[in-house]
Amino acid sequence: MGRRLDHEGLLQQLQQPSVQLAPLYIISGDETLLIIEALDALRTAALAQGYSERTRLILDARSDWSAVMGATQNVSLFGDRKLLDLSLPSGKPGRTGGETLEALAGKVQSGELPDTLVALSLPRLDRATRSAKWAAALLETGTLVEVPTIDRNTLPRWIGQRMARQGQELDADTLAWMAEKVEGNLLAAFQEIQKLGLLHPPGKITGEDVRRAVLDVARYDVFDLRDAMLAGQSKRALTILHGLRGEGAALPLILWAVGDEIRLLSRLAAIQAGGGDVAGEMRRNRVFGPREQGLRRTLSRVPPRAWRAAVQHTHDIDRLIKGLKVPGLLDDPWEELARLLLRITVERKT
């Protein structure tokens, strides 16, 4: 029977220097920031234990799933251990994908992949998905890491926990004020927590100091960039990106904001193409008001075929940020992010 861990449990476990890694992890949830955090921690722990070769595959029902098994059969010339990093953003592998994942779980369970660690990230598994043969096989074999959904009611507590990690403390009223100020957005909350960690020493921070820091808004922010992308405003998007770079904004945070929106649009486009409930998916992702209107306009403007390549482009930029070269891409991740924004803002349905 497989194991279960929550997000915090995984992070705590991976911080132990002698942790024994499981051969298969299934990281499931709808908070992209927390999934990225869990995967980064797992990759770091794996690298420390000799998993120096990494194969990253982003998959959906139409993918060539033979690449998954092919990756398990490739033998390193130097005998390096391998991390097979699989992403299934839609949570729907299709028939061929389901059969491949079931076979992969079988190989892991039988010990046929002693030098390969498998990590699969995907949205929250609902009851129907858990009963599918491929999901049941994975859950029976691997370690399920369930990433929590942080809603507006639980966000103050989450902010408090994150502040405690960096040795800082806020009172309950200030935590509630911060949660309200970021409008329930986890990435925005994360940015403000990081800012407070840079501006203030460990210890208790007054509400006045927090308000001063949070309200000291830079000229440009990632949400302006997101809105310009959704509006198809190429010049404005590039101007904001240039401004963020000049202000010393953290590129990984910018990529998270842009990439999270692109992954959501990719899922929405696939649901729309299949005649599914786009509005329901937006509700599940807590998308309302002007942002919903922006997403709908983008879906009507950008051809469905563009999203798969855009999602891959975000992952390639992430590799560039980590110092890895990607064939066919510029070495500067900022320039590649500009290209990605142009891909979304310029392309039109014909």
Side-chain angles (χ1 to χ4, degrees), residues 101-175:
L101 291 173
E102 190 176 351
L104 180 64
K107 283 181 173 289
V108 172
Q109 191 170 48
S110 64
E112 295 178 52
L113 306 175
D115 295 319
T116 300
L117 188 156
V118 181
L120 171 67
S121 59
L122 73 173
R124 180 167 299 281
L125 294 168
D126 56 27
R127 183 176 298 179
T129 303
R130 287 173 186 263
S131 64
K133 290 179 66 177
W134 63 269
L138 290 170
L139 296 175
E140 179 70 24
T141 304
T143 296
L144 173 63
V145 180
E146 296 185 289
V147 172
T149 299
I150 310 298
D151 58 27
R152 291 185 81 141
N153 292 328
T154 57
L155 185 56
R157 181 165 58 88
W158 184 85
I159 294 173
Q161 291 170 343
R162 289 303 172 109
M163 294 295 296
R165 279 191 189 180
Q166 55 195 38
Q168 295 175 317
E169 181 185 351
L170 304 178
D171 61 51
D173 288 343
T174 303
L175 290 172

Side-chain angles (χ1 to χ4, degrees), residues 305-319:
R305 58 178 169 76
W307 293 114
R308 185 175 176 185
V311 170
Q312 181 61 57
H313 201 166
T314 63
H315 288 283
D316 288 340
I317 295 170
D318 179 60
R319 295 184 65 195

Side-chain angles (χ1 to χ4, degrees), residues 108-334:
V108 172
Q109 191 170 48
S110 64
E112 295 178 52
L113 306 175
D115 295 319
T116 300
L117 188 156
V118 181
L120 171 67
S121 59
L122 73 173
R124 180 167 299 281
L125 294 168
D126 56 27
R127 183 176 298 179
T129 303
R130 287 173 186 263
S131 64
K133 290 179 66 177
W134 63 269
L138 290 170
L139 296 175
E140 179 70 24
T141 304
T143 296
L144 173 63
V145 180
E146 296 185 289
V147 172
T149 299
I150 310 298
D151 58 27
R152 291 185 81 141
N153 292 328
T154 57
L155 185 56
R157 181 165 58 88
W158 184 85
I159 294 173
Q161 291 170 343
R162 289 303 172 109
M163 294 295 296
R165 279 191 189 180
Q166 55 195 38
Q168 295 175 317
E169 181 185 351
L170 304 178
D171 61 51
D173 288 343
T174 303
L175 290 172
W177 180 87
M178 275 189 70
E180 186 66 26
K181 194 64 185 175
V182 300
E183 299 180 348
N185 186 291
L186 201 64
L187 175 58
F190 179 78
Q191 289 178 299
E192 296 302 338
I193 292 165
Q194 296 287 93
K195 184 195 294 184
L196 290 169
L198 292 171
L199 293 176
H200 295 281
K204 190 162 187 175
I205 307 175
T206 67
E208 181 182 350
D209 284 340
V210 171
R211 285 170 173 78
R212 187 181 301 116
V214 171
L215 293 174
D216 181 18
V217 180
R219 182 180 173 190
Y220 302 99
D221 68 51
V222 293
F223 301 106
D224 288 336
L225 181 64
R226 181 194 70 187
D227 292 344
M229 180 183 73
L230 294 179
Q233 297 172 338
S234 304
K235 184 176 179 180
R236 179 168 174 255
L238 295 182
T239 298
I240 294 171
L241 182 65
H242 180 73
L244 288 168
R245 185 174 189 174
E247 291 174 350
L251 183 52
L253 291 177
I254 300 171
L255 183 63
W256 282 346
V258 172
D260 193 29
E261 206 73 351
I262 288 173
R263 283 184 287 271
L264 174 58
L265 281 160
S266 181
R267 293 200 302 273
L268 292 173
I271 291 170
Q272 188 176 68
D277 182 9
V278 173
E281 183 67 12
M282 286 193 181
R283 296 291 85 77
R284 282 189 289 275
N285 285 274
R286 305 192 299 282
V287 175
F288 305 97
R291 185 180 171 211
E292 177 179 355
Q293 296 168 15
L295 288 170
R296 289 188 180 278
R297 285 195 298 268
T298 307
L299 289 173
S300 66
R301 176 172 52 79
V302 179
R305 58 178 169 76
W307 293 114
R308 185 175 176 185
V311 170
Q312 181 61 57
H313 201 166
T314 63
H315 288 283
D316 288 340
I317 295 170
D318 179 60
R319 295 184 65 195
L320 291 175
I321 292 172
K322 291 179 168 65
L324 303 173
K325 289 188 176 294
V326 180
L329 268 64
L330 300 172
D331 290 339
D332 186 346
W334 287 96

